[in-house]
Structures are given as structure tokens and as C-alpha cells.
Amino acid sequence: MEPIVGIDLGTTNSEVAFIIDGNAQILKGLSSSIGDKSDKGILPSCVGIDDDGKIIVGTEARNQAAVHPDRTVLSVKRLMGTDQQIKMKDSAYLPQEISAFILKALKEQAQVALGKPVSKAVITVPAYFTDAQRHATRAAGEIAGLNVLRIINEPTAAALAYESESSETQRILIYDLGGGTFDVSIVKIEEGVVEVLSSTGDNLLGGDDFDQRIADRLVEHIDKESKINVSGQPVAMARLKRAAEDAKKILSSEPYAKIEEDHIGKRVWKDVHLSYELSRLEFEGMIEDELERTMDSVNKALKDAALLPSAVDKIILVGGSTRIPRISKMLEEKFGRMPHSEIDPDLCVALGAAIQAGREMGLDSTSILLDITPYTFGTSALGELDGAPCMTRFVPLIRRNTKLPTSKSEAFYTLYENQEMVEIKVCQGENPNALDNIQIGKYKFRLTPRSPEGSIILLNFDLDLNGILKIEAVEKATGRKINAVIENAFSKLTEEEMADSKKRISDMWGEEPQMEEEMEDLEEEMPPDLADALTKAESQLDSASSEDRDEMINLMEDIRDAVKAGDIEKARELLKELEEILFYLG
Ligand code: AMP
């Protein structure tokens, strides 16, 4: 059966997981070229171009971010759903193209770990992601050569990771604070059925902001001590942000963190060095307002689910930033119980995505997943607002917290005789005035000539399981479906643009490692002694240091390439180098 993997496409880090022997497991990469240097299988969501003009993803890209901010992209998830062009060296990319590089790396990571081609995935997104952001995520998958079977909300995935097998009814609050997004959701799990009761959050709040606050403090400190302002210097700022993040992490387990950055600037002819001691207390003070904001969302989620804090059975922490001790304390004060973080908060979402992917493969049909829309979708029409006529009255069609998939229709009327056109605006939000909501689409419908005043136009909104909205309008009198002209499709690409994007990204990525059939052919040509040595080396990869591991992987790839090119002599020479490393490993 073709594998379907679960992917957590995070702001800071991404992971890919799969069900192996009935358990969700993170797939660790073996190839250094994809930049996964972490033992946990975490791939930093960073994309860059190296000195040779080659695309790099993961740790390698992250490591160059401080020195080459101009050709490295961090936190692209925050730009998903926008048309913003992201500059990397001499070219510009769309957010979904940058994300596609990350997905390509994860795809390779999965292929290497499973030894099979991988072309299908379930991808998670923050519950708060808009329609445009979900579209962009799906497009990123397609550009990367992945068929995205389903997009599920991150908190739902986390709940699945914790409770997919529980038979008791439980109400679980998931507090997910990552690098760039915050989500809080309440789900009910009953006999394996997951139902999202409420979901809210802020897709512009996360650990990156905390790093920025520390970095700002450091800039102030440097200015005060040395009378230079480094805020306009990208390299210095990237270094400060990196140092800030390191300090923040230290403060999760220690009360003080020392920040030292030599040669951070120059004043006249003298080098300026930074030395600053940050206390946990000072750090907590800096981010108190942001943490308060997350608690406001917690209260909103409780209110939406019509639950008192005492009715919540369990609180789950998800996302790297929940390691900040103040967060557990705040939640404990509110709920009178300690939150859970037994499943690694960094991996929880990917593991849940793998459980859902397993279900898509038919591995477990006992549980189903109910999801909701965190937004109200509607249109704008003539109506009343505060007792006065309003041309832009918001008319909700699909209400917030409706279970997905859902389909809703509403009738609208033409305003005058011979009306030639109706303009249908599609908005998402909760405000009674459509102008205050987010407009996600604008469609123009040309009407049949000489229609009377009050002709009926039926508008249908269809929101699928992935939160993707389809709109259809029908002229009731004629039954004619009206062709929609999308005037501002935001970041949705046309098929042609998609194909161009896919080709461009693939060309830049280069060849993917060959899988299955090709691998088998290769094995046949491989002389037995070389094949044995490669198998032995593979089995020792886990016990090697990350440096040795990288070198071993490179040598193994080179040996395979040499055999493929028919150069057995070169392969044997390379084997000697590999055997030397194996000898030292014992
Ligand atoms: P995620 O988006 O879930 O991968 O979370 C990544 C965020 O978690 C980044 O902002 C990290 O700096 C942050 N993070 C990771 N470990 C810690 C830690 N020990 N203490 C505080 N924040 C952390």
C-alpha cells in the first residue's frame, strides 16, 4: 500500500511521521543534504541558498541565516496566503514555493526512512488559518509533488496523539504556542470520536516575538553602553535574534542566561562587544502582555465551548514555546491542575497527523474526526445596521464552529429592473459590517438581460473538510449557473502558474534520491562486497556522531553514484574511506 505520511509544517520546525507497526513514529532523515542534523527528526523550517547557489533546507540553512540573511528565509509560514514576494539571493519566490522546498525535504526524509516513494500526505495547519492560508498550504504540497489528501487543524492532531485510543469521554484543552502561531482549542473525545468544540487563537503570536523582544532589549543595551545603534544592520540583528532565542531556551530551565556576542559592532575604530545577563524574571516581564493575550484566547475558547474551567479534564501543551515555565503556571492557576506535556510538545502534532494519515490508509476505521470552521463565512448585501440602511451589511452563510464539511445556501434579490450585474463579495469574520471583515474573494455575475427587480440569485457556499470554500451562484428564474470572475484570488495560483512553479522548484531542487524500482536495479549491479559494506554502514549510522554520520552518508551516496556510473574502481576507493570511519566506530 502506498504510504500516506503526516506532516507538521511548522513556523520554526517541521516534522514528518508515519504509522509503523501500529504506532505513530517520527521519520528521521538520513541524508545530510536535506539538513536534518537533529536526532529527533526535526527539520528547521528554513530555506536558503548556499555559496554554490544550491538550495539548502533545514539546519544548514538555519546556520547560515545569521551571516547571510539576504539568502535565507525563516518563518515563511507567517506569510502563507499572501502574495508577498520573498527575495532569496537574486530571485523572488512566493511563500508557497519556499514552503514547497521544506515539504520536498520532508518528503525525501520520509522516502529515505521508509525506502519507498512518498507522494501522499496529511498536513496540519493552525486552526486559525484562513481559507487563503489553507489554499497556499495545499499548493505548497502540490508544488513539492505531494498530493495533500487532507488538511487538519494542529490542535486536533495533538488531541489525536494523546487520546486516539481512550474510551472515556474527555474534554481536552490544547494550548499550542509555537514559533509564530498560537492556537487554543477544546475538543471532546468520546468513544474514539474527536469533536472540536471550539477553536481560536492568533496567527501572529509566538516564540519569534519573544526572541524579538529580547533582541530589542539587547539593541537598547548596546546603544546605552556603547552609543551605537545596530538595529539597521541585518547581520548584527540576525546574530542578536539567534542569541536571544538561545537565552530564552536556557531560561526555561535556569533562572539566568548570559548573552555574549563579540564584535557586534564598531564605534569609530573600536570593536563593540555585547555582554548581558538576562534573568527569567526580566524575560517573563517582557512577555507578560503576550502571555496574557493567550489567556484571553483560553477564556474565549471556554466561552465558545460553553464550558467552565472545571469541566476541562485535561490540558495538553503543544509547541516549543510551552516549555516556558510561566505558561504552565498560568494554566495551573486557572484550571487548578497541571498541564500535560508527556508527548514531546515538538512532535505531538506530527504524530497526530500520522494517526490521521493512518486512518486515511484504512489502518484504523474505528474513529472519525469531526472538525469545525473557526470562522464565519458570508457575503455583503444591502441591509440594516444599527437601525440605518447599510450597503455592506455582512450576511453570514456558514457560521463559526459549524462542523465540516458543510454547505449553506441563501437567496439574494436584485435591487432594480434590468440589473446587468451583481457583485458578490465573500468575506470571513464576525463583524456585522462586511467592510470590517476580511474579504477573501470578489465575484462578478452578469445577469440575463431584462430581468425584473427582485430576481432571485441563490448563493451556495460549500466548505470542505480542509476548510476550502467553493462558491456557486445560480440565477433562479433560468436555472443558469453564473460564471464567476475572480478579481482578487489572493495567492491562489492558476494551473499554469502551478505547473511553472512546480517545474522551477523541482529544477532548483535537483534530482530526488531514487526509490524502490530504481533502487532495486541498482542493488543488482552492486558487487556483493560493496552491498554488504553499505548495509553494515547503514546499520551503524545511528551510533555515529552527527559529523561522522554526515560523512558516511556522503560517502555512501558517492559509492552508489560511482557504481551507477560503472566506475567500480572509484567505488572501491571510496569504500576504503568509509571502512576507515566504520573501523573507528568499532
Ligand atoms: P514550534 O513552532 O512548535 O516548533 O516551536 C518553536 C518555538 O519554540 C521557537 O520559538 C523556539 O524558540 C521555542 N522553543 C523551543 N524550545 C524552547 C524552550 N526550551 N524554551 C522556550 N522556548 C522554546
Coordinates of all heavy atoms in Angstrom, one line a residue, residues 8 10-15 42 45 62 77 176-181 206-211 245-246 248-253 283 318-325 345-346, ligand 1:
D8 N 3.7 17.9 10.0 CA 3.5 19.2 10.7 C 4.4 20.2 10.1 O 5.7 20.2 10.2 CB 3.9 19.0 12.2 CG 3.9 20.3 13.0 OD1 3.5 21.3 12.5 OD2 4.3 20.2 14.2
G10 N 5.6 23.4 10.4 CA 5.6 24.4 11.5 C 6.3 25.7 11.1 O 7.0 25.8 10.0
T11 N 6.1 26.8 11.9 CA 6.8 28.0 11.6 C 8.3 27.9 11.8 O 9.1 28.4 11.0 CB 6.3 29.1 12.6 OG1 4.9 29.1 12.6 CG2 6.7 30.5 12.2
T12 N 8.7 27.3 12.8 CA 10.1 27.2 13.1 C 10.7 25.8 12.7 O 11.7 25.7 12.2 CB 10.3 27.3 14.7 OG1 9.4 28.3 15.1 CG2 11.7 27.7 15.0
N13 N 9.9 24.8 13.0 CA 10.4 23.4 12.7 C 9.3 22.6 12.1 O 8.1 22.9 12.3 CB 10.8 22.7 14.0 CG 12.0 23.3 14.7 OD1 13.0 23.6 14.0 ND2 11.8 23.7 15.9
S14 N 9.7 21.6 11.3 CA 8.7 20.8 10.7 C 9.1 19.3 10.9 O 10.3 19.0 11.1 CB 8.6 21.0 9.2 OG 8.2 22.4 9.0
E15 N 8.1 18.4 10.9 CA 8.4 17.0 11.1 C 7.5 16.2 10.2 O 6.4 16.7 9.8 CB 8.1 16.5 12.5 CG 8.9 17.2 13.6 CD 8.3 18.6 14.0 OE1 7.1 18.7 13.9 OE2 9.0 19.5 14.4
I42 N 13.7 16.5 13.7 CA 13.1 17.8 13.5 C 13.9 18.6 12.4 O 15.1 18.6 12.4 CB 13.2 18.6 14.8 CG1 12.3 18.0 15.8 CG2 12.9 20.1 14.6 CD1 12.3 18.6 17.2
S45 N 12.4 24.8 9.8 CA 11.7 25.3 8.6 C 12.4 26.5 8.0 O 11.9 27.6 8.0 CB 10.3 25.7 9.0 OG 9.6 24.7 9.7
R62 N 19.5 27.2 8.4 CA 19.4 27.9 9.6 C 20.7 28.5 10.1 O 20.9 29.6 10.6 CB 18.8 27.0 10.7 CG 18.3 27.7 11.9 CD 17.9 26.7 13.0 NE 18.4 27.2 14.2 CZ 17.7 27.8 15.1 NH1 16.4 27.9 14.9 NH2 18.2 28.3 16.2
K77 N 5.9 30.4 7.2 CA 4.5 30.1 7.5 C 3.7 31.4 7.7 O 2.5 31.4 7.4 CB 4.5 29.2 8.7 CG 3.1 28.6 8.9 CD 3.3 27.5 10.0 CE 1.9 26.9 10.4 NZ 2.1 25.8 11.4
D176 N -1.4 25.6 22.3 CA -0.3 25.3 21.3 C 0.4 26.7 21.0 O -0.2 27.5 20.3 CB -0.9 24.7 20.0 CG 0.1 24.5 19.0 OD1 1.3 24.9 19.2 OD2 -0.2 23.9 17.9
L177 N 1.5 26.8 21.5 CA 2.3 28.0 21.3 C 3.6 27.7 20.6 O 4.5 27.1 21.2 CB 2.5 28.8 22.6 CG 3.2 30.2 22.5 CD1 2.3 31.1 21.7 CD2 3.4 30.8 23.9
G178 N 3.7 28.0 19.4 CA 4.9 27.6 18.6 C 5.8 28.8 18.4 O 5.9 29.7 19.2
G179 N 6.5 28.8 17.2 CA 7.4 29.8 16.9 C 6.7 31.1 16.4 O 7.1 32.2 16.7
G180 N 5.6 30.9 15.7 CA 4.9 32.1 15.1 C 3.4 32.1 15.3 O 2.8 33.1 14.9
T181 N 2.9 31.0 15.8 CA 1.4 31.0 15.9 C 0.9 30.5 17.3 O 1.7 29.7 17.9 CB 0.8 30.1 14.8 OG1 1.4 28.8 14.9 CG2 0.9 30.6 13.4
G206 N 4.0 34.2 18.8 CA 4.8 33.0 19.1 C 6.1 33.3 19.6 O 6.5 34.5 19.9
G207 N 6.9 32.3 19.7 CA 8.3 32.4 20.2 C 9.2 33.4 19.5 O 10.0 34.0 20.1
D208 N 8.9 33.6 18.2 CA 9.7 34.6 17.4 C 9.5 36.0 18.0 O 10.5 36.8 18.0 CB 9.2 34.7 16.0 CG 9.5 33.4 15.2 OD1 10.2 32.5 15.7 OD2 9.0 33.4 14.0
D209 N 8.3 36.3 18.5 CA 8.1 37.6 19.1 C 8.8 37.7 20.4 O 9.3 38.8 20.7 CB 6.6 37.8 19.4 CG 5.8 37.6 18.1 OD1 6.0 38.4 17.2 OD2 5.0 36.7 18.0
F210 N 8.9 36.6 21.1 CA 9.7 36.7 22.4 C 11.2 37.0 22.1 O 11.8 37.7 22.8 CB 9.5 35.4 23.2 CG 8.1 35.0 23.4 CD1 7.8 33.6 23.7 CD2 7.1 35.9 23.4 CE1 6.5 33.2 23.9 CE2 5.7 35.5 23.6 CZ 5.5 34.2 23.8
D211 N 11.7 36.3 21.0 CA 13.1 36.5 20.6 C 13.3 38.0 20.3 O 14.3 38.6 20.6 CB 13.4 35.6 19.4 CG 13.2 34.2 19.7 OD1 13.1 33.8 20.9 OD2 13.2 33.4 18.7
E245 N 17.2 33.9 21.2 CA 16.5 32.6 21.2 C 17.2 31.6 22.1 O 16.6 30.9 22.9 CB 16.3 32.0 19.8 CG 15.5 30.7 19.9 CD 15.2 30.0 18.6 OE1 15.9 30.4 17.6 OE2 14.5 29.0 18.6
D246 N 18.6 31.5 22.0 CA 19.3 30.6 22.9 C 19.1 31.0 24.3 O 18.9 30.1 25.2 CB 20.8 30.7 22.5 CG 21.2 30.1 21.2 OD1 20.3 29.4 20.6 OD2 22.2 30.4 20.6
K248 N 16.6 32.5 25.7 CA 15.2 32.2 26.0 C 15.1 30.8 26.4 O 14.4 30.4 27.4 CB 14.3 32.5 24.8 CG 12.8 32.1 25.0 CD 12.1 32.3 23.7 CE 12.4 31.3 22.6 NZ 11.6 31.4 21.4
K249 N 15.7 29.9 25.6 CA 15.6 28.5 25.9 C 16.3 28.1 27.2 O 15.8 27.3 28.0 CB 16.2 27.7 24.7 CG 15.4 27.7 23.5 CD 16.0 26.8 22.4 CE 15.2 26.8 21.1 NZ 16.0 26.2 20.1
I250 N 17.4 28.7 27.4 CA 18.1 28.5 28.7 C 17.2 28.9 29.9 O 17.1 28.2 30.9 CB 19.5 29.3 28.8 CG1 20.5 28.7 27.7 CG2 20.1 29.3 30.2 CD1 21.7 29.5 27.5
L251 N 16.5 30.0 29.7 CA 15.7 30.5 30.8 C 14.5 29.5 31.1 O 13.9 29.7 32.2 CB 15.2 31.9 30.5 CG 16.3 32.9 30.5 CD1 15.7 34.3 30.1 CD2 17.0 33.1 31.9
S252 N 14.2 28.6 30.3 CA 13.2 27.6 30.6 C 13.6 26.7 31.6 O 12.8 26.0 32.3 CB 12.7 26.9 29.3 OG 12.0 27.7 28.5
S253 N 14.9 26.5 31.8 CA 15.4 25.6 32.8 C 16.3 26.3 33.9 O 16.5 25.7 34.9 CB 16.1 24.4 32.2 OG 17.0 24.8 31.3
F283 N 12.8 38.4 31.7 CA 12.2 37.9 30.5 C 10.7 37.7 30.6 O 9.9 38.1 29.7 CB 12.9 36.5 30.1 CG 12.2 35.8 29.0 CD1 12.0 36.4 27.7 CD2 11.7 34.5 29.2 CE1 11.4 35.7 26.7 CE2 11.1 33.8 28.1 CZ 10.9 34.4 26.9
V318 N 1.4 22.0 23.6 CA 1.9 21.7 22.3 C 2.8 22.9 21.8 O 2.4 24.0 22.1 CB 0.8 21.4 21.2 CG1 1.4 21.2 19.9 CG2 -0.1 20.3 21.7
G319 N 3.9 22.6 21.1 CA 4.7 23.7 20.6 C 5.8 24.0 21.5 O 5.7 24.0 22.7
G320 N 7.0 24.3 20.9 CA 8.2 24.5 21.6 C 8.1 25.6 22.7 O 8.7 25.5 23.8
S321 N 7.3 26.6 22.5 CA 7.3 27.8 23.4 C 6.6 27.4 24.7 O 6.7 28.2 25.7 CB 6.6 29.0 22.8 OG 7.3 29.4 21.6
T322 N 5.9 26.3 24.7 CA 5.2 25.9 26.0 C 6.2 25.4 27.1 O 5.8 25.1 28.2 CB 4.1 24.9 25.8 OG1 4.7 23.7 25.2 CG2 3.0 25.4 24.9
R323 N 7.4 25.4 26.7 CA 8.4 25.0 27.7 C 8.7 26.1 28.6 O 9.4 26.0 29.7 CB 9.7 24.5 27.0 CG 9.6 23.3 26.2 CD 10.9 22.6 26.0 NE 10.7 21.3 25.3 CZ 10.6 21.2 24.0 NH1 10.7 22.2 23.2 NH2 10.4 20.0 23.4
I324 N 8.3 27.3 28.3 CA 8.5 28.5 29.2 C 7.7 28.2 30.5 O 6.4 28.0 30.4 CB 8.0 29.8 28.5 CG1 8.9 30.0 27.3 CG2 8.0 30.9 29.5 CD1 8.4 31.2 26.4
P325 N 8.3 28.1 31.6 CA 7.6 27.7 32.8 C 6.4 28.5 33.2 O 5.5 28.0 33.8 CB 8.7 27.7 33.9 CG 10.0 27.8 33.2 CD 9.7 28.4 31.8
P345 N 6.3 18.1 23.1 CA 5.5 19.2 22.5 C 5.9 19.5 21.1 O 5.1 20.1 20.3 CB 5.7 20.4 23.4 CG 6.4 19.9 24.6 CD 7.0 18.5 24.3
D346 N 7.2 19.2 20.7 CA 7.6 19.5 19.4 C 7.1 18.5 18.4 O 7.1 18.7 17.2 CB 9.1 19.4 19.3 CG 9.8 20.6 20.1 OD1 9.2 21.7 20.0 OD2 10.8 20.3 20.7
Ligands
AMP1 P1 7.4 25.2 17.1 O1 6.9 26.2 16.2 O2 6.3 24.4 17.8 O3 8.4 24.3 16.5 O4 8.1 26.0 18.3 C1 9.3 26.6 18.1 C2 9.4 27.7 19.1 O5 9.6 27.1 20.4 C3 10.6 28.6 18.8 O6 10.3 29.9 19.0 C4 11.6 28.1 19.9 O7 12.5 29.2 20.2 C5 10.7 27.8 21.0 N1 11.3 26.9 22.0 C6 11.9 25.7 21.8 N2 12.5 25.2 22.9 C7 12.2 26.1 23.9 C8 12.5 26.2 25.3 N3 13.2 25.3 25.9 N4 12.0 27.3 25.9 C9 11.3 28.3 25.3 N5 11.0 28.3 24.0 C10 11.5 27.2 23.3

